Amino acid sequence: GESVGLHLPTLSVQEGDNSIINCAYSNSASDYFIWYKQESGKGPQFIIDIRSNMDKRQGQRVTVLLNKTVKHLSLQIAATQPGDSAVYFCAENMASGTYKYIFGTGTRLKVLA
Amino acid sequence: DSGVTQTPKHLITATGQRVTLRCSPRSGDLSVYWYQQSLDQGLQFLIQYYNGEERAKGNILERFSAQQFPDLHSELNLSSLELGDSALYFCASSETGTPKEKLFFGSGTQLSVL
């Protein structure tokens, strides 16, 4: 059953369309960012990362964009599939100070058949 | 499969009790992290260990404690449990525990305090 974020923002996308999930991060000193995917009943799974010296990074069907000016990250998923249905989290980290990652509250992606 | 093993998967207990959650990191990873995830909440960092030593502390309650053993497995001890402690507890590991390392998460332990 659902165990994560019953009241998360939800993005509903038609199968085959592109998805864009957004994240506002909190600390302007953060310089490393990760997107995680969490399916129901499972732990977060690494999708893609980006360092602050980059604006864009591409993976397989996924692209992460970083806008440091407005402290914004986005995850683009091309040709969204039913298996992409999950909660997506961004996480930020700083090279200095504490070693902890700060996670966003997440966005639920629902893929409609 | 991330390679991080957490036991047990589910735990049901009563208020006031004490429980221990166990985590085995990925082979080769020296650092372990504990996170708590409640309904409507993101992942809240509790504590991090590196090679047996505490490295960073987050929002961990005094009733909670953790340690990392010489074989690198870690345990999270939760005592005097309250209803609000019901949550998913995740362990993650990384190679050296330094910033800019990917964290690999286990499947979590679902704790229900009744």
Side-chain angles (χ1 to χ4, degrees):
Chain A
E2 296 291 349
S3 59
V4 175
L6 292 180
H7 304 295
L8 290 174
T10 297
L11 174 67
S12 295
V13 174
Q14 207 67 37
E15 182 179 353
D17 287 352
N18 297 334
S19 304
I20 300 177
I21 301 170
N22 296 304
C23 174
Y25 63 91
S26 60
N27 196 325
S28 56
S30 293
D31 57 5
Y32 178 59
F33 306 87
I34 302 179
W35 277 101
Y36 282 93
K37 171 186 180 183
Q38 188 176 17
E39 296 173 273
S40 184
K42 296 185 179 180
Q45 175 189 354
F46 172 88
I47 302 174
I48 191 167
D49 59 355
I50 188 168
R51 297 176 191 253
S52 59
N53 60 354
M54 303 171 71
D55 297 324
K56 178 180 178 178
R57 189 160 189 230
Q58 288 185 290
Q60 188 176 12
R61 277 201 312 120
V62 294
T63 301
V64 56
L65 299 178
L66 174 61
N67 185 331
K68 295 180 285 293
T69 304
V70 293
K71 295 192 293 183
H72 183 268
L73 270 172
S74 68
L75 177 70
Q76 300 177 1
I77 304 174
T80 312
Q81 302 169 358
D84 295 327
S85 292
V87 175
Y88 290 81
F89 295 97
C90 66
E92 60 185 291
N93 197 305
M94 290 185 291
S96 60
T98 66
Y99 289 87
K100 67 178 184 179
Y101 282 81
I102 301 171
F103 283 81
T105 52
T107 297
R108 185 181 308 283
L109 176 65
K110 286 189 175 179
V111 181
L112 309 172
Chain B
D1 181 10
S2 67
V4 178
T5 304
Q6 286 188 251
T7 57
K9 288 195 182 303
H10 302 278
L11 202 47
I12 301 174
T13 188
T15 54
Q17 295 298 304
R18 173 190 165 95
V19 297
T20 298
L21 313 184
R22 184 188 167 101
C23 168
S24 294
R26 289 190 323 155
S27 177
D29 285 357
L30 298 177
S31 191
V32 168
Y33 306 72
W34 286 98
Y35 282 84
Q36 180 192 58
Q37 187 177 50
S38 305
L39 283 177
D40 301 331
Q41 297 252 345
L43 287 154
Q44 301 295 316
F45 171 72
L46 296 178
I47 198 163
Q48 178 199 2
Y49 282 84
Y50 169 73
N51 206 19
E53 301 278 330
E54 182 184 304
R55 174 165 273 180
K57 217 166 188 176
N59 302 322
I60 188 165
L61 299 172
E62 285 191 12
R63 300 183 285 110
F64 296 1
S65 65
Q67 58 184 123
Q68 186 180 26
F69 294 87
D71 67 352
L72 302 177
H73 92 271
S74 178
E75 293 181 356
L76 178 67
N77 301 297
L78 314 177
S79 61
S80 303
L81 284 167
E82 302 175 0
L83 296 177
D85 297 327
S86 295
L88 262 169
Y89 291 84
F90 286 106
C91 169
S93 72
S94 71
E95 194 172 344
T96 67
T98 53
K100 301 183 185 179
E101 273 194 338
K102 302 169 194 173
L103 300 187
F104 293 89
F105 283 82
S107 297
T109 294
Q110 178 72 62
L111 174 66
S112 299
V113 182
L114 306 178

